[in-house]
Amino acid sequence: MKCVLLADIGGTHARFAVLSGNKLGLVRSLDVKTHPQVHDAIRHFLADDGGVGPIDEAILAVAGPVVSGRCVLTNSSWVADVTELRHEFGFNAVRLVNDHEAAAWSLPHLTPSDTLLVGPGTGVHGAPLALLGPGTGLGMACYVPGPTGVRVVVSEGGHMTLAATTEREAALIGVLRRQFAHVSAERVLSGPGLVNLYQAIASIDQVEVQPRTPAEVTRGALDETCDTCRKALDSFVSFLGSVAGDVALLFGAQGGVFVGGGIVPHIARCLATTDFRQRFEAKGRFRPYLAAIPVRIVLRRDTAFLGLTALARNAAVKLDGGDHV
């Protein structure tokens, strides 16, 4: 029975599991900051999971661009290299894919209970499915069915220049521009981005606020104990709606747009009850085009492993944007 090491490696957490035949083992999560390199995290996982037999192959979903079998993670000091990993652990083969590529492979396998629908219920059958995920960063990918098979297009669109829709947003971007020079979508649509919004709003409103983590900003907004937190989350949701609409236009994702990532399950109801959908559709002459596209908020947390399992079970799949040795 072939054993395949599966990994979902982000800027904050690295999650590992072993696929033995058709059975996926327990997913274990490690803190990236507590391990100097990816090799150390893998070694720690394999040592703890003593019941696992010899690992034949590894498929790693990594939060960064994969180039020539190597990935320098965007929001971490870790580097994953297929040759080094094969040499270190004796794997027969190692594949690297972008983490949102792995998540995109899961989209056809999600059930209605795995998502929260915002907008119309049915997209165009056989049309592309787009995914964007605010977490430690902002990832994007697109699942593209076709007559010769499926391809997944990986995008670094999280680093595209962020546009303002209102004067208030222009002012927020102005504050962030003085801090970062280039204000990308990721500068607001991520965990650190939510904190950036919180601090920028405090600056514009000329109020003193205490330092907060992304989780603390979210909690202060949802339990209505902090007005600046609430404004930050409102701005986050509005920006997210606009960017999701841009992604739908960019990929022609008439099959649907999926919004996932570590932050989203905590604010799913906000996306369904605020101006998120209005901002998604607010594209001038293309409002009717966007109005027909369903948006699904991904509630399931293991979508990367769902996609990685699909890849592992189908050796004939060619990994678009990934590498294997």
Side-chain angles (χ1 to χ4, degrees):
M1 184 183 299
K2 185 168 71 172
C3 291
V4 182
L5 175 68
L6 306 181
D8 175 26
I9 301 173
T12 304
H13 297 101
R15 300 174 177 86
F16 299 92
V18 173
L19 182 68
S20 300
N22 290 320
K23 182 179 179 181
L24 182 67
L26 181 67
V27 176
R28 300 180 184 271
S29 179
L30 302 178
D31 189 335
V32 168
K33 291 182 179 179
T34 62
H35 300 277
Q37 283 296 337
V38 65
H39 298 72
D40 303 294
I42 293 174
R43 197 176 296 110
H44 182 99
F45 167 76
L46 294 177
D48 275 1
D49 215 10
V52 174
I55 304 296
D56 300 288
E57 299 178 4
I59 307 178
L60 280 62
V62 287
V66 178
V67 180
S68 299
R70 189 171 188 269
C71 175
V72 179
L73 273 73
T74 303
N75 292 295
S76 165
S77 61
W78 283 12
V79 176
D81 183 282
V82 293
T83 302
E84 292 177 3
L85 289 166
R86 282 192 65 195
H87 181 266
E88 176 79 17
F89 296 101
F91 300 143
N92 294 328
V94 176
R95 301 173 181 176
L96 292 184
V97 296
N98 176 269
D99 58 339
H100 280 83
E101 177 179 357
W105 281 104
S106 76
L107 299 183
H109 304 286
L110 294 175
T111 67
S113 63
D114 293 329
T115 64
L116 174 66
L117 179 65
V118 181
T122 305
V124 176
H125 179 72
L129 307 173
L131 170 71
L132 67 159
T136 304
L138 176 63
M140 299 181 186
C142 188
Y143 179 93
V144 187
T148 59
V150 173
R151 294 175 61 86
V152 169
V153 178
V154 181
S155 167
E156 290 299 331
H159 301 284
M160 64 187 178
T161 303
L162 183 68
T165 299
T166 66
E167 292 298 327
R168 174 75 165 182
E169 290 181 351
L172 288 172
I173 291 173
V175 171
L176 296 175
R177 188 178 296 119
R178 290 192 289 273
Q179 181 178 356
F180 298 110
H182 175 246
V183 183
S184 66
E186 184 174 285
R187 290 298 189 189
V188 303
L189 296 179
S190 61
L194 183 58
V195 175
N196 291 338
L197 284 172
Y198 169 75
Q199 294 171 340
I201 288 168
S203 175
I204 291 174
D205 291 348
Q206 298 183 331
V207 296
E208 293 187 9
V209 293
Q210 65 189 52
R212 292 180 188 259
T213 65
E216 290 169 342
V217 174
T218 303
R219 187 161 53 249
L222 295 178
D223 63 18
E224 299 184 348
T225 57
C226 172
D227 187 55
T228 304
C229 291
R230 181 188 57 78
K231 291 178 180 178
L233 185 58
D234 287 346
S235 294
F236 182 97
V237 168
S238 297
F239 274 122
L240 184 59
S242 289
V243 172
D246 290 341
V247 169
L249 292 174
L250 177 66
F251 287 119
Q254 292 181 286
V257 173
F258 292 75
V259 183
I263 298 172
V264 169
H266 302 288
I267 63 169
R269 297 297 170 185
C270 293
L271 300 180
T273 58
T274 58
D275 69 345
F276 170 83
R277 181 71 203 192
Q278 178 184 347
R279 291 287 295 265
F280 176 82
E281 296 179 9
K283 303 298 178 184
R285 292 171 293 171
F286 266 70
R287 180 185 293 274
Y289 181 96
L290 275 300
I293 295 178
V295 175
R296 296 185 184 275
I297 311 305
V298 180
L299 305 177
R300 183 165 175 164
R301 296 178 181 273
D302 64 344
T303 53
F305 283 95
L306 196 62
L308 287 168
T309 299
L311 288 172
R313 289 173 175 169
N314 186 359
V317 171
K318 294 181 179 180
L319 301 177
D320 177 33
D323 291 87
H324 68 279
V325 174

